[in-house]
């Protein structure tokens, strides 16, 4: 796979040289060349763009591309280190993660200016240690109308290089979630969560073979719903495989343990577990509680101490977030990184591990989201009939839109998962067919990882 | 991670073309959020009910009680039959039995279990009621028993269409406790004469509604979101639904000692009331509907002077069903102005029925709701059964039997003749005179999309939600 990607990149680079540089590329090349020369004799200098303002006709999307082109060129320099702190571009201004300024030696400010028919890029380099501006430089190039249109388009990359649809098949209606875990023999098993049962499949090449299924008995009170929603969680606790299944039609989630070759209901949990995390070296189940019978979570997140040693009647502690139509937790190596939410106004909201709210995408509207570890975040569009997926890179603690993918139908749920070792996202998509409807399951993954 | 450095010009061009090409057909589809919004309140303008006891005697009540009581089955406009209560129902022709399997874990609005036993009891209550749909069903059903988790409805004969018979709007799931409800909403607050607030039933078998509340208003303030009115109005602000329903108003004489002159004078007076209040109702010159009745009933009205001279010395108590309470103010004022000693008393259906055996009610203003597409023979049969009151006798029973025979003869001519014969007998016996008719449209403000109405003209509020664009 890596070889194929390298070949493609090579072809792309060749393509660029054949048709010559665009105005934007030339502007970036000049700026990068200047900065490269400036920092060349400063080994181990830690450099980052901390401000980027736009006074040109270019859109935020174009600004992002220019930024990416510049940073990727600077990353190629061996003599100094470039840190990418960009969170987002919003309203003609870049938003950067500046929580640790002491980790930087040099700060770069960029300003894009429209000067008659030309577009200029101003650079200011500031030394944090010396507390003074070291250099100011201005480059100017002609960026044609056509090129501006091109830069202003929202497409960021090709599907084959980014997230793409790797698998699609039809499922019974009502599917609420999919999770997978490696079985004892190493084979990946896929758990499909329906309101009345869980079906376990084994992956055989490009298809799924039913392995086992068991009914879920929900006890009173049951709150009938128009739209069943639920979350499944799988994890290992010692030699046991533990499964939790929570939904919006029951106030308690079921916990089943696979022990002695069979599934046994072990306890009930009064919230819907999402993740098994470690806090202060102690394991916890973290999740949220649905507003019964409705399609949103109450504005709290619950942490329940959970281990073989923990008492089964241990009570959960809670943290305030916001009522959310969709919610997920990004974790890295078992540690909670952030809580991602789509609130009841369909707006994306982010809470840090300390439950401080950040607004990296203040205007972003969505319907459903899922986080894949601490690396990627997928958000479905605020749309009906025909949908779209947006993928964000969250590895740096920020939120950078990287890929988009069109989806025919309406995304009902999303969850992070993997398919044949490729990490990505499962999406349940409702599609109208001849006056009826069907549910298509899609897996979106990154081929190049 | 893609940093964009590989984005060469031809690839960017291709990407741009793809983006433009895909965006164009998508644009009209992006209409709103996929996830529906839960919350909000809708204001529905209806007549004030007399109690929460089921009484679907008129259109307004038909709507009101459908909000708090759940039907066994729904009959959609397209003829489709659905149920929120049963997860399965099957008719076994060999056993001539219909098996109804309720969904698991259902509850009434107060959280108490809704089981097969409640279904059985509710069906028995319906079968014991004084409704034409119930009487038809009584003739078909031998027994209603519990069969494990199922309710088994045993029939006298093979009736594969039995489920269609169970779509009657009065056949609802009742709780033993009057204060628990099976419908999508339950009553929370009642300010008599002003409004009634219904709250979403969290245990509703069909799945919780998007709306949190329904405010049933008995006045024009606040401006209602959903209301009934004559057809062809409010085009700019509202969506209009043909309810498929009309309301007939009759003048009934419950005692046999009323003179013909008095009957016609009262009839003339009420006709003039309609004229004086701006022709609120259409004239009705038949027992069912003028466009389908084989008999036209023409009663020559008396002049105002003649009417006054006949009624001058009478002391009349005109009882009107509470479903006509919207007329109360105008009718009282009109009668007062006429200087006649006519008192109007508005009473609910149950009080009315309770008084039928006594001689306390002589004059009554009664309304009946009909579905337009109900066959005329069913309508005339209902009028005869439900408005002859204590004057129902062997003659009418014979007429009804003959109507049944004509129905099974498959002769339209015979059927029409029998309908005409019944109409003549009813009018000739002088206990009912048709007065007015009103067609209804159901209006809903455009800010409330997704409203559907069923075959009985009832709005289905389950999937009505605030537009979230």
């Amino acid at each position: 796979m890596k070889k194929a990607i390298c070949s493609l990149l090579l072809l792309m680079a060749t393509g660029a040289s054949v048709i010559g540089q665009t105005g934007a590329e030339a502007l970036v090349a000049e700026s990068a060349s200047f900065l490269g020369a400036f920092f060349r004799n400063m080994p181990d200098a830690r450099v980052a763009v901390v401000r980027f303002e736009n006074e040109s006709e270019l859109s935020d999307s174009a600004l992002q591309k220019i930024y990416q082109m510049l940073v990727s060129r600077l990353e190629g320099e061996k003599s100094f280190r470039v840190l990418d702190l960009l969170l987002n571009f919003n309203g003609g201004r870049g938003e950067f993660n500046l929580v640790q300024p002491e980790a930087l030696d040099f700060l770069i400010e960029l300003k894009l200016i429209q000067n008659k028919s030309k577009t200029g890029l101003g650079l200011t380099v500031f030394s944090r240690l010396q507390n003074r501006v070291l250099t100011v430089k201005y480059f100017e190039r002609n960026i044609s109308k056509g090129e501006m249109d091109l830069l202003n388009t929202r497409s960021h990359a090709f599907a084959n290089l980014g997230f793409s649809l790797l698998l699609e098949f039809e499922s019974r209606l009502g599917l609420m979630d999919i999770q997978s875990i490696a079985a004892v023999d190493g084979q990946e098993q896929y758990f499909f969560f329906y309101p009345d049962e869980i079906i376990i499949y084994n992956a055989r090449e490009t298809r799924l073979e039913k392995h086992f299924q068991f009914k879920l008995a929900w006890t009173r009170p049951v709150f009938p719903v128009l739209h069943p929603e639920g979350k499944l969680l799988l994890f290992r606790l010692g030699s046991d495989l533990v499964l939790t299944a929570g939904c919006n039609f029951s106030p308690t989630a079921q916990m089943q343990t696979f022990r002695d070759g069979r599934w046994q209901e072990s306890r009930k949990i009064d919230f819907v577990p999402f993740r098994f995390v470690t806090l202060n070296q102690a394991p916890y189940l973290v999740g949220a509680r649905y507003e019964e019978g409705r399609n949103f979570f109450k504005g709290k997140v619950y942490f329940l101490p959970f281990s073989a040693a923990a008492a089964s009647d241990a009570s959960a502690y809670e943290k305030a977030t916001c009522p959310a139509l969709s919610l997920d937790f990004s974790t890295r190596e078992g540690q909670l990184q952030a809580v991602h939410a789509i609130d009841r106004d369909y707006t994306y909201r982010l809470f840090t591990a300390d439950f401080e709210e950040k607004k990296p995408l203040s205007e972003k509207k969505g319907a459903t989201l899922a986080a894949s570890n601490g690396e990627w975040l997928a958000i479905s569009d605020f749309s009906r009939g025909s949908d779209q997926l947006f993928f964000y890179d969250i590895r740096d603690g920020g939120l950078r839109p990287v890929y988009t993918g069109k989806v025919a139908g309406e995304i009902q749920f999303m969850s992070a998962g993997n398919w044949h070792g490729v990490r990505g996202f499962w999406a349940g998509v409702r599609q109208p067919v001849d006056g009826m409807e069907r549910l298509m399951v899609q897996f979106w993954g990154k081929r190049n990882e | 991670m893609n940093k964009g450095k590989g984005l060469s010009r031809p690839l960017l061009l291709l990407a741009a073309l793809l983006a433009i090409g895909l965006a164009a057909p998508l644009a009209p589809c992006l209409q709103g959020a996929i996830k529906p919004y839960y919350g909000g309140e809708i204001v529905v303008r209806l007549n004030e009910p007399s109690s929460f006891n089921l009484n679907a005697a008129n259109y307004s009540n038909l709507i009101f009680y459908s909000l708090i009581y759940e039907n066994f089955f729904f009959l959609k406009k397209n003829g489709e039959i659905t149920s929120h209560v049963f997860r399965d129902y099957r008719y076994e022709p060999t056993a001539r039995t219909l098996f109804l399997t309720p969904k698991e874990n259902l509850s009434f609005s107060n959280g108490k279990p809704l089981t097969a036993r409640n279904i059985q009891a509710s069906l028995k209550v319906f079968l014991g009621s004084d409704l034409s749909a119930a009487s038809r069903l009584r003739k078909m059903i031998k027994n209603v028993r519990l069969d494990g988790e199922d309710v088994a409805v045993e029939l006298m004969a093979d009736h594969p269409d039995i489920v269609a018979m169970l779509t009657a709007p009065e056949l609802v799931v009742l709780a033993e406790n009057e204060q628990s409800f099976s419908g999508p909403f339950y009553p929370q607050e009642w300010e008599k004469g002003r409004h009634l607030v219904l709250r979403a039933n969290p245990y509703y078998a069909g799945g919780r509604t998007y709306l949190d509340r329904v405010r049933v208003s008995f006045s024009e303030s606040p401006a209602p979101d959903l209301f009934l009115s004559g057809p062809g109005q409010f085009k700019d602000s509202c969506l209009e639904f043909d309810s498929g329903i009309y309301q007939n108003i009759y003048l009934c004489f419950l005692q046999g000692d009323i003179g013909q002159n008095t009957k016609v004078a009262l009839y003339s007076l009420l006709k003039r009331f309609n004229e004086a209040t701006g022709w609120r109702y259409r004239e009705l010159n038949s027992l069912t509907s003028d466009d389908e009745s084989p008999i036209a009933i023409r009663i020559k009205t008396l002049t105002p002077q003649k009417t006054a001279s006949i009624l001058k010395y009478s002391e009349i108590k005109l009882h009107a069903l509470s479903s006509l309470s919207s007329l109360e103010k105008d009718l009282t004022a009109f009668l007062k102005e006429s200087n006649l000693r006519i008192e109007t008393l508005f009473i609910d259906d149950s009080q009315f029925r309770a008084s039928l055996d006594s001689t306390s009610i002589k004059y009554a203003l009664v309304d009946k709701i009909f579905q337009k597409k109900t066959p005329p023979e069913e309508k005339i049969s209902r009028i005869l059964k439900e408005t002859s009151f204590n004057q129902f006798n062997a003659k009418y029973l014979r007429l009804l039997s003959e109507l049944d025979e004509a129905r099974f003869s498959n002769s339209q001519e015979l059927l029409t003749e029998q309908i005409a014969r019944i109409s003549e007998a009813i009018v000739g016996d002088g206990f009912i005179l048709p007065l007015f008719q009103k067609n209804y449209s159901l209006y809903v403000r455009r800010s409330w999309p997704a409203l559907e109405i069923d075959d009985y003209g009832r709005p289905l509020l389950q999937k009505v939600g605030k537009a979230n664009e």
Side-chain angles (χ1 to χ4, degrees), chain B residues 352-406:
Chain B
F352 184 72
R353 288 185 179 281
S355 310
L356 286 178
D357 290 336
S358 71
T359 55
S360 60
I361 300 180
K362 284 178 89 170
Y363 308 94
L365 212 50
V366 169
D367 68 324
K368 290 280 160 211
I369 296 291
F370 293 103
Q371 268 183 289
K372 284 179 197 162
K373 63 182 180 189
T374 302
E377 61 271 22
E378 272 189 41
K379 287 178 192 153
I380 198 77
S381 158
R382 210 183 125 199
I383 291 166
L384 183 56
K385 282 180 199 163
E386 295 178 9
T387 58
S388 55
F389 306 115
N390 45 9
Q391 298 178 49
F392 192 83
N393 56 30
K395 180 178 81 176
Y396 296 130
L397 195 60
R398 196 176 62 245
L399 283 169
L400 284 178
S401 303
E402 287 166 1
L403 185 70
D404 277 343
E405 279 173 35

Side-chain angles (χ1 to χ4, degrees), chain B residues 334-350:
Chain B
F334 174 79
L335 293 174
K336 194 175 174 188
E337 208 171 284
S338 67
N339 288 323
L340 296 169
R341 282 182 290 178
I342 301 176
E343 188 188 353
T344 50
L345 295 130
F346 285 80
I347 57 172
D348 72 38
D349 198 57
S350 56

Side-chain angles (χ1 to χ4, degrees), chain B residues 120-158:
Chain B
Q120 181 197 31
S122 302
L123 183 51
K124 285 186 172 173
V125 168
F126 175 73
L127 291 172
S129 70
D130 188 19
L131 293 162
S132 60
S135 111
R136 272 207 309 279
L137 213 51
R138 265 198 305 272
K139 290 177 192 160
M140 296 162 70
I141 293 176
K142 189 164 79 180
N143 188 24
V144 181
R145 62 178 169 82
L146 290 177
D147 183 59
E149 300 293 299
D150 293 352
V151 176
V153 183
E154 294 172 354
L155 306 184
M156 309 263 196
D158 185 24

Side-chain angles (χ1 to χ4, degrees), chain A residues 12 84 220 227 344 383 393, chain B residues 1 3 6 34 38 106 210:
Chain A
M12 287 158 68
D84 183 355
R220 241 177 252 286
H227 309 281
R344 293 195 67 207
S383 62
D393 183 347
Chain B
M1 189 172 83
K3 294 275 185 186
I34 293 168
Y38 279 81
L106 291 183
Y210 297 142

Side-chain angles (χ1 to χ4, degrees), chain A residues 164-171 175 178 192 387-389 391 405-411 413-415 417 419 424-431 438-445:
Chain A
S164 60
L165 184 58
L166 301 183
L167 179 71
E168 186 174 38
F169 56 88
E170 190 174 347
S171 160
L175 180 64
I178 299 172
F192 283 46
D387 220 327
Q388 195 167 186
L389 273 170
F391 298 97
K406 310 282 182 201
V407 176
E410 296 175 0
I411 296 169
F413 72 85
M414 275 198 295
S415 53
W419 175 249
F425 295 93
W426 293 102
V429 182
R430 205 171 64 189
Q431 289 179 344
R438 66 178 181 182
L439 189 84
M440 300 303 291
V441 174
Q442 299 183 343
F443 183 79
W444 290 76

Side-chain angles (χ1 to χ4, degrees), chain B residues 10 58 72 109 171 176 205 210 246 385:
Chain B
N58 60 66
F72 275 36
S109 61
L171 178 51
E176 290 163 32
Y210 297 142
Y246 58 77
K385 282 180 199 163

Side-chain angles (χ1 to χ4, degrees), chain B residues 247-286:
Chain B
Q247 177 194 30
N248 285 357
I249 300 178
Y250 306 96
L251 177 61
C252 296
F253 307 100
L254 275 66
Q255 311 299 330
D257 58 350
I258 304 165
Q260 191 65 14
N261 278 351
T262 308
K263 286 179 185 175
V264 176
L266 198 52
Y267 172 84
S268 304
L269 189 69
L270 290 169
K271 285 278 182 181
R272 234 176 348 268
F273 161 69
N274 191 36
E275 187 183 341
T277 50
W279 299 102
R280 198 186 300 195
Y281 292 94
R282 210 169 45 235
E283 295 288 302
L284 179 64
N285 296 309
S286 63

